[in-house]
Amino acid sequence: MRKNIFAVPIFEFEVDLNFISVPVKEEEYKKMWESKVPTSFGSRTKIPKGTYQYLSSKIIECLRTLKDPVDKISIDNLWKNKYEENDFQGYHTHSNTTWSFIVYEDVEESKTQFFNPAFSDIQNQCPQGNSLDMPVSYMPRLKSGWMVLFPSWIAHQVLPGNKGTTISGNVTVTSVCSW
């Protein structure tokens, strides 16, 4: 009998961009990270109430399909990244939060690459450095109007070729565990 153990859930789904507004002033963008991506990260962007409610409802809908209880969530911060053809972001995680997300606002195709938490062990043990059954990475092929929600501890990077804007955020989950 086959069993998949140590599965890591992520969610990919379409969103209605008409309900997502992240007003960022041009002066709030700063060039950050290795390729100097213009981003509003760290600017304490105020999340409009309608956007907060819409994103919260979509995120809670996903998280409630899992076994861990979810009593409430908070979107701790939200930021925009403006990518040009050669911009990228290196390997990183989002610390001090539970879940993270990326909304592909007007990119042609996502260039986000997620890494298997057992990446180095799989590469070390597999003859070709990768496995069809246990891949070392995953790249969703998402278009404008789609969102990916993932555990914040999943390492990821953004490869070059992602022209357009993305909206990213971090989510803290609060639950009253009865176990």
Side-chain angles (χ1 to χ4, degrees):
M1 171 191 327
R2 175 186 167 151
K3 291 186 176 188
N4 291 324
I5 60 172
F6 309 123
V8 178
I10 70 165
F11 300 90
E12 299 172 356
F13 53 94
E14 198 165 8
V15 292
D16 187 339
L17 292 173
N18 293 316
F19 291 105
I20 302 173
S21 170
V22 182
V24 177
K25 297 175 187 153
E26 201 57 40
E27 61 268 15
E28 291 180 281
Y29 286 101
K30 305 290 183 237
K31 293 187 175 194
M32 294 182 71
W33 305 302
E34 300 94 329
S35 74
K36 306 298 183 216
V37 175
T39 181
S40 65
F41 180 80
S43 67
R44 302 264 184 217
T45 301
K46 183 159 174 50
I47 307 169
K49 185 177 181 178
T51 296
Y52 191 94
Q53 289 174 333
Y54 178 74
L55 288 174
S56 292
S57 70
K58 299 296 274 183
I59 292 166
I60 287 174
E61 182 181 328
C62 292
L63 297 181
R64 288 202 169 140
T65 67
L66 302 173
K67 293 177 184 176
D68 291 331
V70 175
D71 292 321
K72 69 177 190 173
I73 67 165
S74 65
I75 299 174
D76 301 324
N77 49 27
L78 201 65
W79 65 94
K80 276 187 160 183
N81 297 317
K82 293 196 301 188
Y83 292 95
E84 292 299 324
E85 195 71 29
N86 295 317
D87 291 338
F88 64 92
Q89 286 189 47
Y91 184 94
H92 67 282
T93 62
H94 295 209
S95 51
N96 301 316
T97 189
T98 317
W99 289 81
S100 297
F101 63 87
I102 305 165
V103 175
Y104 300 95
E105 188 173 35
D106 62 2
V107 296
E108 290 180 23
E109 184 177 77
S110 63
K111 298 295 181 184
T112 310
Q113 181 180 32
F114 295 94
F115 291 95
N116 187 320
F119 175 91
S120 60
D121 293 326
I122 294 168
Q123 279 194 319
N124 187 46
Q125 300 299 320
C126 291
Q128 304 302 317
N130 199 357
S131 165
L132 296 175
D133 295 307
M134 296 166 278
V136 295
S137 68
Y138 170 69
M139 284 189 67
R141 299 291 181 200
L142 303 177
K143 308 273 185 215
S144 174
W146 280 75
M147 178 171 162
V148 61
L149 174 67
F150 56 96
S152 299
W153 49 266
I154 294 291
H156 56 287
Q157 66 184 8
V158 179
L159 300 175
N162 198 15
K163 190 171 182 176
T165 58
T166 61
I167 300 167
S168 297
N170 291 326
V171 177
T172 298
V173 174
T174 305
S175 60
V176 179
C177 296
S178 59
W179 30 272

